[in-house]
Amino acid sequence: MFKQKIILILLLLTSLYGVWWLLAPVKIIGVHHGMAHNYILVKNFPITDQKKISWWKKNNQEIKRKYKIPTPNPSNKFTIVIWDIGSGYKEMPETDQNSDLLCFADIKKKNCVEKPGLLMKIYRLPYQSKIFYEMNDGSLYDQPAETSETRHIK
């Protein structure tokens, strides 16, 4: 009887943690401007493709206002890459140590994150109005115009 209560309590706590984790809001930890890309580092990014795209559509105007991205080039092209911050920023090690890091030149110390954290890429090709959403698993969606629906294409 005692073991059953312990198991039930553990299941309840695990379920509550899972619900909390799924409902936690996305938090932008950092934004970096690169030569060809803009990077957004986040915590608690949605799991499903549709939720990721919905988050972007809901928040892109605020992100544009606050962080000045995307900044299309003269041909109207832009790329935004959203990364999971993981365990946070790391210092670039003295030696490679088999690390796979993405580092940002716009901050001095602890300016790198681990690369496996890619979540989503949002981009527009030169001289087009169509926006593409590429997920970390290779799925690809397009949105022919800003006001149109998103389509799964790959």
Side-chain angles (χ1 to χ4, degrees), residues 23-42:
L23 298 177
V26 175
K27 185 173 181 184
I28 296 175
I29 305 300
V31 174
H32 302 281
H33 301 273
M35 294 294 285
H37 297 77
N38 295 291
Y39 300 93
I40 301 174
L41 291 103
V42 298

Side-chain angles (χ1 to χ4, degrees), residues 73-86:
N73 69 13
S75 68
N76 207 27
K77 175 187 175 196
F78 70 81
T79 302
I80 299 168
V81 186
I82 301 176
W83 289 85
D84 182 1
I85 190 71

Side-chain angles (χ1 to χ4, degrees), residues 3-49:
K3 285 184 180 180
Q4 290 175 337
K5 286 183 180 180
I6 296 293
I7 290 172
L8 185 60
I9 290 171
L10 287 174
L11 285 173
L12 180 65
L13 290 174
T14 304
S15 298
L16 288 173
Y17 176 76
V19 168
W20 171 82
W21 185 79
L22 287 172
L23 298 177
V26 175
K27 185 173 181 184
I28 296 175
I29 305 300
V31 174
H32 302 281
H33 301 273
M35 294 294 285
H37 297 77
N38 295 291
Y39 300 93
I40 301 174
L41 291 103
V42 298
K43 268 188 171 180
N44 304 324
F45 207 60
I47 296 173
T48 67
D49 293 354

Side-chain angles (χ1 to χ4, degrees), residues 2 15 17 27 32 40-41 43 49 56 58-59 62 77 81-83 90 96 105 111 113 117 119 135 138 144 146 151:
F2 181 72
S15 298
Y17 176 76
K27 185 173 181 184
H32 302 281
I40 301 174
L41 291 103
K43 268 188 171 180
D49 293 354
W56 173 254
K58 181 180 174 189
N59 294 284
E62 177 68 14
K77 175 187 175 196
V81 186
I82 301 176
W83 289 85
K90 300 180 179 315
D96 187 1
N111 64 333
V113 293
L119 298 168
M135 303 302 156
E146 280 207 31
R151 305 177 302 185

Side-chain angles (χ1 to χ4, degrees), residues 57 124 128-133 141-153:
K57 287 181 177 181
R124 184 169 52 211
Q128 291 190 13
S129 61
K130 187 184 289 191
I131 296 173
F132 293 91
Y133 302 91
Y141 299 81
D142 75 348
Q143 182 180 342
E146 280 207 31
T147 57
S148 64
E149 291 298 311
T150 306
R151 305 177 302 185
H152 184 258
I153 56 175

